[in-house]
Amino acid sequence: DAEALVVCNVANVGYRKGQDVLVRAMAQLADDVPRLKCWIAGALEHEPATVETVREAITEHDLDGVIQLLGRRRDVADLLHAADVFVLSSRQEGFPITILEAMAAGRPVVATDVGGCAEAVVHGETGLIVPPEDPEALAEALASLLSDPDLAGRMGAAGRERVQREFTVDRMVEQHLALYEQALAKRRA
């Protein structure tokens, strides 16, 4: 559906990734956002009980036509380019590479304030950071981007620029070399 408004989550389905929280947020949006779709792309086999909980929540909230569990995918870049907003509803994270992939695709990001999410996403500039375990805040952030394509476009463009400026291999090599130089300078002193 070319007219659909698509929220995309790329993460193996598991308790730490909080897709159950995302389902509750989507339930709050579904009546107010026509043509809403949510794609959850990621392995389904690691935590069968969590997958079952997510499926039950989808059915309980009558979201079978809204949320799709896509399973493991090889076309994540295509999914990101087709989506309107990227969301990561995690309870726990390290530094999520999927956020950088979404930003590189020019998509605004809504992520929870766990792990390195707020290090990657500049709140109000490249996306929105919300508290974990808060479906209302997640729904509100998603609604603000889905209802304002200009804002979403600006944040997506800013995210792409941030990735190109801060998260390239060359930039990481520069930062590592600078760190080594600092360590050596301290040793010499």
Side-chain angles (χ1 to χ4, degrees):
D1 181 1
E3 300 296 315
L5 293 175
V6 179
V7 173
C8 184
N9 169 263
V10 178
N12 293 333
V13 178
Y15 178 78
R16 291 180 300 148
K17 298 299 183 177
Q19 285 97 347
D20 58 312
V21 177
L22 177 57
V23 170
R24 293 196 312 270
M26 296 303 291
Q28 294 179 32
L29 291 175
D31 290 337
D32 298 328
V33 181
R35 304 175 323 274
L36 180 65
K37 297 291 179 193
C38 178
W39 299 333
I40 299 175
L44 302 174
E45 65 271 6
H46 299 304
E47 293 184 30
T50 301
V51 172
E52 186 58 29
T53 298
V54 170
R55 284 190 171 126
E56 288 172 358
I58 291 168
T59 300
E60 174 187 334
H61 293 289
D62 197 25
L63 297 171
D64 291 304
V66 174
I67 299 175
Q68 293 177 284
L69 296 178
L70 303 177
R72 201 181 291 268
R73 298 293 290 242
R74 293 184 183 271
D75 61 345
V76 168
D78 293 335
L79 294 175
L80 292 172
H81 281 96
D84 295 286
V85 177
F86 178 80
V87 62
L88 198 61
S89 51
S90 300
R91 293 179 167 95
Q92 182 181 0
E93 277 295 342
F95 187 86
I97 300 302
T98 56
I99 285 179
L100 298 182
E101 292 172 333
M103 289 168 51
R107 295 299 164 255
V109 174
V110 174
T112 50
D113 192 7
V114 296
C117 293
E119 184 180 341
V121 177
V122 178
H123 180 75
E125 182 181 321
T126 65
L128 300 170
I129 298 292
V130 299
E133 298 279 354
D134 190 339
E136 291 80 16
L138 194 62
E140 184 178 310
L142 289 168
S144 70
L145 293 174
L146 292 170
S147 67
D148 190 342
D150 291 334
L151 174 63
R154 285 192 306 274
M155 285 186 173
R160 183 183 304 116
E161 290 172 18
R162 179 167 167 72
V163 167
Q164 291 170 347
R165 185 179 64 246
E166 299 294 330
F167 297 103
T168 63
V169 171
D170 290 341
R171 179 70 175 137
M172 287 187 277
V173 168
E174 287 174 16
Q175 290 174 329
H176 275 88
L177 289 174
L179 184 63
Y180 291 144
E181 287 174 12
Q182 288 175 356
L184 286 172
K186 285 182 182 178
R187 251 186 132 171
R188 289 183 193 134

